[in-house]
Amino acid sequence: MTVAELIETLQKNTVLTKDEYIALIENAQEADRNLLFEKARTVREQYYQKDVYIRGLIEFTNYCKNNCYYCGIRCQNHAVERYRLLPDEILACVEEGYELGFRTFVLQGGEDLQYSVKDIGRLICEIKKRHSDCAVTLSVGEREHNVYQYWFDCGADRYLLRHETATKEHYEKLHPDDLSFEHRINCLYDLKEIGYQVGAGFMVGSPYQTTEYLANDILFLKKLQPHMIGIGPFIPQKDSPFANMPGGTLEQTLLLLGILRLSFPKVLLPATTALGTIHPQGREQGILAGANVVMPNLSPVGVREKYQLYDNKICTGDESAQCRQCLENRMQSIGYHIVVSRGDYPGIK
Ligand code: SAH
């Protein structure tokens, strides 16, 4: 099959074989890419028209007990200044976000056990009590089933936990021995079973990644059937063991976004901050490749610099209102618009 035929087949069947995904990723030329993005937009607009959902990201702690080699807030990075927002500071970010039209709040952080299970539960309850029309998303890493269940019972709606890579040998090159591939994957199945809307995902161009591994990622996602898929380029962080590794590219990330849109027509697909970091129009191009979500930062400006998963992260100096306006303008410049909505997966609430 030619690459154009692979794209046609993917649009029709929403899945390819492993070898076909590999062939598509490795051989797509300029004209194929344009065909892919055009189809991805058609499929995206079938479910979402020109709407773009926003998620307010609150990076509430950069303490972390883990030492993922790619990450700037891993525990052995002593160059990072640590911070932890108080519950009232987090709630202030939520209030500001609500006024700005956000209806989803993502509480993200390192795996910081200082924040107890109950502390986080109380925060979820308080946000839901104040704003019953909003969704609360958690992104605080791997926990046990009972903890995920407790937070769900407190009112959490969604959970983001990128699987990072679906290939065990690759996982073990990106993480120290005390982190287990099986545990991370099990967490995702636990979250789904409990009833969360689940987001998985991976970095594009992470160290040691091969095209075969990318195909494994897509086929793993096909099995998991997450509601959201977060992908962004790997960006080296200067104080990490991967400081001198090459980063993921705009081209490769856009290609994967297009392939994911055709493979998962209804999925929530963010154009990530990492994509906006490697190219000034990265997020716009991401939307034009099939993405339908953006996740601007609502964290207090004073801490944004410290939540450095990777170098040169954008928007660290802007107030939340500025970020919101800036994104509105960016989306309008390409004919799309931000909507005030929880932005649930179609058919779920
Ligand atoms: N502690 C949470 C949140 C992790 S940060 C968890 O474990 O899920 C969110 C995501 O940022 C990670 O899942 C990872 O895919 C991404 N990330 C971390 N370091 C990065 C880097 N150097 N470049 C690009 N993305 C990175």
Side-chain angles (χ1 to χ4, degrees), residues 2-35:
T2 65
V3 174
E5 285 165 346
L6 288 172
I7 295 169
E8 300 282 346
T9 307
L10 179 57
Q11 183 183 21
K12 189 155 118 275
N13 300 343
T14 71
V15 68
L16 296 174
T17 64
K18 181 165 163 175
D19 287 342
E20 288 170 339
Y21 274 121
I22 292 173
L24 173 52
I25 296 168
E26 288 189 344
N27 302 320
Q29 305 299 311
E30 183 73 19
D32 304 313
R33 296 168 57 87
N34 291 335
L35 176 73

Side-chain angles (χ1 to χ4, degrees), residues 202 218 221 229 231 256-264 269:
F202 55 91
I218 301 169
L221 292 167
I229 300 174
I231 68 162
L256 266 300
L257 283 172
I259 292 173
L260 288 170
R261 172 55 68 206
L262 292 190
S263 302
F264 302 88
L269 195 59

Side-chain angles (χ1 to χ4, degrees), residues 229-255:
I229 300 174
I231 68 162
F234 162 69
I235 303 175
Q237 200 281 333
K238 63 181 182 337
D239 305 303
S240 75
F242 294 155
N244 298 317
M245 295 282 191
T249 64
L250 175 74
E251 286 68 30
Q252 185 88 328
T253 308
L254 295 175
L255 180 70

Side-chain angles (χ1 to χ4, degrees), residues 70-72 108-111 139-141 160-162 164 184 203 233-237 274 307 309-310:
Y70 45 84
C71 184
Q108 189 179 81
E111 293 199 14
S139 180
V140 293
L160 305 184
L161 184 78
R162 290 187 177 178
E164 311 296 359
R184 197 159 184 97
M203 291 177 285
F234 162 69
I235 303 175
Q237 200 281 333
Y307 198 81
L309 306 177
Y310 45 79

Side-chain angles (χ1 to χ4, degrees), residues 146-161:
N146 63 318
V147 174
Y148 287 152
Q149 182 71 57
Y150 175 77
W151 290 335
F152 187 77
D153 296 339
C154 289
D157 303 273
R158 309 186 187 137
Y159 205 102
L160 305 184
L161 184 78

Side-chain angles (χ1 to χ4, degrees), residues 135-180:
V136 172
T137 303
L138 299 175
S139 180
V140 293
E142 296 174 42
R143 303 302 290 256
E144 296 311 307
H145 189 286
N146 63 318
V147 174
Y148 287 152
Q149 182 71 57
Y150 175 77
W151 290 335
F152 187 77
D153 296 339
C154 289
D157 303 273
R158 309 186 187 137
Y159 205 102
L160 305 184
L161 184 78
R162 290 187 177 178
H163 64 283
E164 311 296 359
T165 171
T167 308
K168 184 176 157 77
E169 62 193 89
H170 186 210
Y171 190 91
E172 291 175 352
K173 289 187 176 153
L174 301 179
H175 301 95
D177 286 348
D178 62 323
L179 291 175
S180 129

